[in-house]
Amino acid sequence: MAVTGRSGSTVVPPTVRTPDCAAEPARAARLVPPALAAVLAARLADPGFVGSVLGASIWVEGFGEVVSEHPDTQLMPASNQKLLTAVGVLEVLPAAARLTTDVVATGPVVGGVVQGNLILVGGGDPTLSTHGEHSLATLVDQLLVAGVRGVNGAIVVDESRYPIQRLAPGWEDWNVPSDAGPLSALMVDDNRYRWDEAYAADPALGNAEQFRAVLTGAGIAVNGPNWTGTAPAGATVLATVTSPTVAELVDEMLLDSDNETAELLTREAGRVGAGEGTTAAGTRVLAAALDRLCVHLAAGWSDGSGLSRTDRRSARELRALVQAAVADDSWPIVKAGLPVAGRSGTLINRFVGTPAEGVVAAKTGYLNDARALSGVFTTRGGRRVVFSILVNGNTAPDSVGAIDELVSAVAGDAS
């Protein structure tokens, strides 16, 4: 299915591949060296895991699944959910695709004045800012180059690319704006311009205020009010900015655990794959894409970011997902976005001075009562490892050290 945007660009989903699902790695561990088995048993008994539910699946090349602690228990994955989103999005959207924000006019420009409304059309770009290289200011600069010096009509903001849903399913009211801005097809500065209830309910109208301020600052006078609405067919495009590529958005989402990017990519996947830019449509489309990669998931995919209290995943599912991703064409993109222990992103301050430093590439996950870590590395002995560790419960925040000790123990194994 091809989808054509307002400016005429066409997005064609990647060709569907059908790998041999019978080639999935075996679950059962082979003979594990006694020294490694003893270390693993000691690490799993760490007091940091006491009081919470631990789900862990660690697969080591040549040995199989060496840790299977409640591996099929469905737990909140927190931001490990973004691994599902990343791999699924790269199956549904072309890696080189970009999301476009347009400024269109409903009337001609006569003597430098737009004879009609000036409409800011949201294209689902989660990276748009007020000022800077990729911003409302960039759009206004283009208007100036086009000779626009005034607007006789209103400023209209169009967020109709996706249905109006400010929160994803399973979110708590307090998640906005503490963990994410109110969701919209028109996101500016992560939609955190204001933190009041009026802006949370209608961020697009608040973003119109910012757009007007930038226009005024550039000497472009606007006679009409601010509105929300939909750009009519045939409106004249006067300015355009495009997002980073989907591949770059995925990398940013993983490295910085960006919630807004995860949610908008999920909605875009729904729009392209099912003709409906909702979270629910997006998760269905992404789940179907992972199914084609032989990652068959239980129910429990509620959002793209992992903020949802109703997301559920098992450690074994996440480990299988990462293994499937490693074998997929998209792996170089996913791997490039994963934080590296002691080096980058959300792992920059973890594993420092351990055998895992600079070796482990993994996605972190943090909720009030959940911690998660899933990824890949190579042991000191040269064996590839794929793993997922999920901890849920009131004491989950105390488990980070225990998680790191467990992963470091495997990373330092020389067998």
Side-chain angles (χ1 to χ4, degrees):
M1 181 173 76
V3 176
T4 302
R6 186 177 304 280
S7 58
S9 60
T10 300
V11 175
V12 181
T15 301
V16 173
R17 297 186 299 279
T18 53
D20 179 10
C21 292
E24 291 179 329
R27 290 182 180 179
R30 301 179 181 90
L31 183 62
V32 181
L36 175 58
V39 168
L40 292 175
R43 296 278 64 83
L44 288 170
D46 193 302
F49 291 132
V50 174
S52 291
V53 179
L54 167 64
S57 176
I58 302 178
W59 179 91
V60 178
E61 181 183 7
F63 300 149
E65 191 179 46
V66 301
V67 172
S68 56
E69 188 80 10
H70 301 111
D72 297 316
T73 299
Q74 296 291 308
L75 300 169
M76 290 184 293
S79 283
N80 275 208
Q81 183 77 11
K82 294 182 177 76
L83 287 169
L84 306 178
T85 302
V87 178
V89 160
L90 290 169
E91 293 298 308
V92 175
L93 305 178
R98 298 174 186 268
L99 299 164
T100 300
T101 304
D102 291 329
V103 176
V104 305
T106 60
V109 179
V110 179
V113 178
V114 175
Q115 303 300 313
N117 297 328
L118 196 65
I119 306 176
L120 178 63
V121 184
D125 179 359
T127 68
L128 190 67
S129 60
T130 305
H131 296 284
E133 183 179 352
H134 176 74
S135 65
L136 298 179
T138 303
L139 290 166
V140 171
D141 287 344
Q142 292 180 31
L143 293 176
L144 292 172
V145 170
V148 174
R149 296 296 182 271
V151 180
N152 268 343
I155 296 297
V156 180
V157 283
D158 180 347
E159 58 172 343
S160 62
R161 187 179 187 89
Y162 310 141
I164 295 174
Q165 298 170 333
R166 304 304 180 202
L167 283 71
W171 285 19
E172 305 284 351
D173 288 342
W174 56 263
N175 285 131
V176 174
S178 60
D179 296 312
L183 300 175
S184 168
L186 177 63
M187 302 285 290
V188 181
D189 295 327
D190 290 333
N191 274 3
R192 299 191 187 202
Y193 169 52
R194 301 197 314 261
W195 287 47
D196 57 275
E197 291 185 8
Y199 182 76
D202 193 355
L205 194 59
N207 293 339
E209 295 177 14
Q210 298 186 82
F211 187 42
R212 177 184 289 268
V214 178
L215 288 164
T216 301
I220 299 177
V222 182
N223 291 334
N226 297 334
W227 294 344
T228 56
T230 303
T236 302
V237 178
L238 298 179
T240 296
V241 293
T242 57
S243 73
T245 65
V246 166
E248 291 166 332
L249 291 173
V250 166
D251 282 356
E252 177 187 347
M253 175 189 71
L254 292 173
L255 187 66
D256 298 326
S257 205
D258 189 288
N259 295 319
E260 291 88 359
T261 297
E263 296 304 335
L264 264 62
L265 285 176
T266 297
R267 293 185 179 193
E268 186 64 20
R271 182 179 182 273
V272 170
E276 180 185 347
T278 64
T279 302
T283 58
R284 289 195 303 270
V285 167
L286 296 179
L290 295 187
D291 195 65
R292 294 192 294 270
L293 288 181
C294 305
V295 181
H296 310 305
L297 301 171
W301 192 333
S302 296
D303 69 357
S305 64
L307 288 178
S308 176
R309 305 293 300 179
T310 55
D311 285 328
R312 291 294 183 273
R313 267 312 51 90
S314 74
R316 187 170 272 156
E317 283 179 310
L318 283 167
R319 190 261 296 166
L321 167 74
V322 176
Q323 273 180 302
V326 168
D328 191 59
D329 293 342
S330 67
W331 177 243
I333 298 171
V334 176
K335 178 70 181 297
L338 289 176
V340 176
R343 297 285 194 274
S344 63
T346 55
L347 282 180
I348 194 167
N349 294 318
R350 289 175 64 176
F351 295 103
V352 177
T354 74
E357 182 178 0
V359 173
V360 169
K363 183 70 197 75
T364 56
Y366 298 87
L367 290 175
N368 289 342
D369 50 357
R371 295 293 186 270
L373 190 70
S374 301
V376 298
F377 60 91
T378 301
T379 69
R380 187 169 288 168
R383 297 181 185 274
R384 175 181 286 275
V385 178
V386 185
F387 73 98
S388 178
I389 302 169
L390 307 177
V391 183
N392 280 193
N394 292 335
T395 63
D398 301 326
S399 69
V400 173
I403 293 171
D404 291 1
E405 290 284 351
L406 176 57
V407 173
S408 295
V410 181
D413 181 64
S415 57

